[in-house]
Amino acid sequence: MRPGFDLLIRGGEVVNGDARAALDVGVAGGRVAALLAPGSPAAAEREIDATGLLVMPGGVDTHTHVAWPYDDTVTVDDWHSATRAAVLGGTTTIMDFVPPAEGGLAARCRARVEEAAADAVIDFGFHPILTASDTRDVEDIGKVIAEGFTSFKMYTTYEDRRVDDGAAWTLMRAIAANGGLPGFHAENHEILTNALDDQVRSGHLGLADYPHSRPGLAEAETIHMVSMYARRLGTPVYIFHVSGSDALDAVRFARQAGTVVHAETCTHYLAHDESVFTGEDAWRFVISPPIRGAADRLDLWSGIADGTVVSVGSDHCAYDTSAKRGWEHDHRHIPAGAPGIEARTPVLWNEAVNVRGLDPCQFVQVSAERAARALGLFPRKGRVAVGADADLVLWDPARAWTGADLRPVSPATFSLYERSSGTGLARHVVAGGRLVVENGTFAGERGAGRFLARAPMARQAGGRP
């Protein structure tokens, strides 16, 4: 008989990004300790019957804004409620952000870790946000990369936080030199400004007009620019929330030219199209970049199937409903963003497997594995393999759900998926070797999540300052 395990999962089908097989999974010390032929003699403190279930690596949400500051307040979630909602949906790792604020970059990063570590129930990492290329922040980039904050976000729009072309180059050069990954909210500020000015002059500021205030051309232009910078520096680049065909074409062009571009899209772009802006409660869907047309949605699914789209984030930002509602005739006053950490995995499974016909291995690739590879978390995350963290979702592909079953982080916020339905839900979830969801009920522990310090990357050949 094999030596004892802390947990033994029997009777399930293990699904990774490249293969699926009937295997029993032994867990010890928070990691996958063995993959066994079904029914192999083994002892464990606890066994779970996974008959009829898929045993997949826990989801990696690449884009969340937990307890996020805005307009002198914060969103209605906290680290406990947000990570609890995430893990109930089948996500076991989240990548959040270090917001811009007073004080040095390194101090802000450490403070954000302390805030999350007290309450998070699953593992977490961070993308620090850079808003200026001043000497202090540039000098701190190497320091925070050494401390495990290896991916960054820069905005190329919004007056209060954007970096101009020169600052983007300076910051990317410092990030690349220290083995980090530069990332961008990629929209050309001047194109957006002109589009909005046209709407103001014509008086077209209703919710149906919102997508036209942020055209896809703005995304494409900036992706071309930062991809050229990345190619010159010999660094990969991460593009947050690619929303449609224009942006995806720019990613494909950059890849053909030799740039390693990690393109992320979001659940809402895959589940909805711009018809939401003429439907009920359209204010919910004000997100930037906007949800685009049906053809854009189909193109994003093609990008997932062919590997152009690396990851899917929720872009979770749990505004109080009152902060979003009430400006139906002037979209300029509606804060951009929406919650969704709880819905990412079920909605993604239903749309990918049930609607689009992708197989479960492709689902694992886009829900977990590719993100883990791009962000320096693989093979610790994103795969059911001996030595990997025991972050496992025991998935019931036949279990039906409606939007009401995807429990939000707070009754004070709203959902983009309340009128959705599908099949496929997590029955059990294991995070770090601990059973944190049992038969769909939360059983986790506050503060059990760990900060994921990541190692710097090797610089690509051919780059030059």
Side-chain angles (χ1 to χ4, degrees), residues 164-166 168-169 172 184 224-235 464:
D164 62 22
D165 296 1
W169 169 257
M172 288 182 73
F184 286 89
H224 283 300
M225 180 192 76
V226 300
S227 297
M228 182 179 66
Y229 288 3
R231 191 160 60 251
R232 176 65 63 91
L233 291 168
T235 181
R464 61 189 190 274

Side-chain angles (χ1 to χ4, degrees), residues 297-364:
R297 182 183 177 191
L298 288 174
D299 203 11
L300 289 173
W301 279 111
S302 295
I304 285 175
D306 67 22
T308 305
V309 175
V310 166
S311 59
V312 177
S314 64
D315 202 356
H316 168 83
C317 195
Y319 291 113
D320 190 306
T321 299
S322 63
K324 291 277 288 188
R325 191 166 52 193
W327 295 101
E328 288 79 0
H329 302 294
D330 192 340
H331 62 72
R332 293 176 297 174
H333 299 288
I334 302 175
I341 201 169
E342 73 286 350
R344 186 192 77 102
T345 312
V347 170
L348 180 59
W349 170 274
N350 186 66
E351 289 285 333
V353 178
N354 299 336
V355 178
R356 308 291 166 182
L358 276 65
D359 65 47
C361 292
Q362 290 174 295
F363 169 79
V364 166

Side-chain angles (χ1 to χ4, degrees), residues 444-460:
E445 179 183 342
R446 185 187 294 267
R450 301 161 296 177
F451 168 60
L452 298 169
R454 294 164 287 148
M457 301 177 297
R459 191 168 180 180
Q460 293 177 312

Side-chain angles (χ1 to χ4, degrees), residues 377-438:
L377 296 169
F378 191 86
R380 181 178 179 182
K381 308 291 186 184
R383 190 166 185 84
V384 183
V386 173
D389 285 355
D391 292 352
L392 308 168
V393 176
L394 281 61
W395 192 259
D396 184 348
R399 185 177 170 192
W401 54 266
T402 67
D405 298 313
L406 309 179
R407 289 160 279 188
V409 295
S410 166
T413 193
F414 55 95
S415 173
L416 301 182
Y417 310 100
E418 66 176 17
R419 288 183 280 276
S420 300
S421 61
T423 59
L425 280 177
R427 185 182 298 178
H428 310 292
V429 181
V430 177
R434 307 174 307 276
L435 187 62
V436 294
V437 176
E438 185 173 3

Side-chain angles (χ1 to χ4, degrees), residues 47-396:
E47 289 193 10
I48 297 177
D49 181 4
T51 302
L53 304 180
L54 305 179
V55 182
M56 303 188 292
V60 179
D61 190 338
T62 54
H63 192 151
T64 67
H65 300 271
V66 175
W68 196 250
Y70 73 100
D71 293 343
D72 299 320
T73 185
V74 294
T75 51
V76 297
D77 57 353
D78 57 29
W79 283 96
H80 183 258
S81 66
T83 54
R84 180 182 184 275
V87 79
L88 281 165
T91 292
T92 56
T93 298
I94 66 169
M95 296 298 300
D96 206 272
F97 297 87
V98 178
E102 297 298 323
L105 175 62
R108 297 200 307 271
C109 289
R110 293 171 192 145
R112 189 73 165 156
V113 170
E114 290 179 10
E115 175 190 337
D119 290 321
V121 303
I122 56 175
D123 291 353
F124 55 89
F126 290 105
H127 316 283
I129 292 175
L130 302 173
T131 59
S133 58
D134 59 70
T135 302
R136 184 179 181 184
D137 273 2
V138 170
E139 290 176 349
D140 268 359
I141 285 171
K143 184 183 300 182
V144 301
I145 289 174
E147 293 181 7
F149 303 84
T150 58
S151 52
F152 296 81
K153 183 177 184 180
M154 290 160 276
Y155 291 87
T156 58
T157 189
Y158 301 120
E159 288 290 1
D160 61 338
R161 71 196 81 161
R162 75 184 181 104
V163 297
D164 62 22
D165 296 1
W169 169 257
T170 298
L171 292 168
M172 288 182 73
R173 185 169 55 185
I175 294 166
N178 288 281
L181 174 64
F184 286 89
H185 173 131
E187 290 181 289
N188 178 281
H189 184 70
E190 286 71 27
I191 292 174
L192 299 187
T193 299
N194 287 346
L196 185 59
D197 285 347
D198 286 345
Q199 288 192 336
V200 171
R201 283 192 294 269
S202 64
H204 293 137
L205 292 167
L207 292 176
D209 302 304
Y210 174 67
H212 308 293
S213 72
R214 308 186 82 94
L217 175 64
E219 281 185 86
E221 191 280 337
T222 298
I223 291 169
H224 283 300
M225 180 192 76
V226 300
S227 297
M228 182 179 66
Y229 288 3
R231 191 160 60 251
R232 176 65 63 91
L233 291 168
T235 181
V237 63
Y238 193 93
I239 306 298
F240 293 95
H241 47 47
V242 168
S243 69
S245 300
D246 286 333
L248 205 57
D249 286 347
V251 169
R252 291 183 173 119
F253 181 91
R255 285 184 167 190
Q256 290 168 1
T259 307
V260 176
V261 183
H262 301 304
E264 169 203 277
T265 193
C266 297
T267 327
H268 40 265
Y269 302 126
L270 298 170
H272 300 297
D273 62 45
E274 64 184 359
S275 63
V276 296
F277 294 108
T278 57
E280 186 178 356
D281 295 333
W283 52 268
R284 297 172 186 247
F285 298 93
V286 174
I287 292 161
S288 66
I291 295 168
R292 304 202 186 276
D296 296 89
R297 182 183 177 191
L298 288 174
D299 203 11
L300 289 173
W301 279 111
S302 295
I304 285 175
D306 67 22
T308 305
V309 175
V310 166
S311 59
V312 177
S314 64
D315 202 356
H316 168 83
C317 195
Y319 291 113
D320 190 306
T321 299
S322 63
K324 291 277 288 188
R325 191 166 52 193
W327 295 101
E328 288 79 0
H329 302 294
D330 192 340
H331 62 72
R332 293 176 297 174
H333 299 288
I334 302 175
I341 201 169
E342 73 286 350
R344 186 192 77 102
T345 312
V347 170
L348 180 59
W349 170 274
N350 186 66
E351 289 285 333
V353 178
N354 299 336
V355 178
R356 308 291 166 182
L358 276 65
D359 65 47
C361 292
Q362 290 174 295
F363 169 79
V364 166
Q365 289 171 17
V366 76
S367 70
E369 184 177 321
R370 292 178 191 164
R373 290 182 183 275
L375 295 175
L377 296 169
F378 191 86
R380 181 178 179 182
K381 308 291 186 184
R383 190 166 185 84
V384 183
V386 173
D389 285 355
D391 292 352
L392 308 168
V393 176
L394 281 61
W395 192 259
D396 184 348

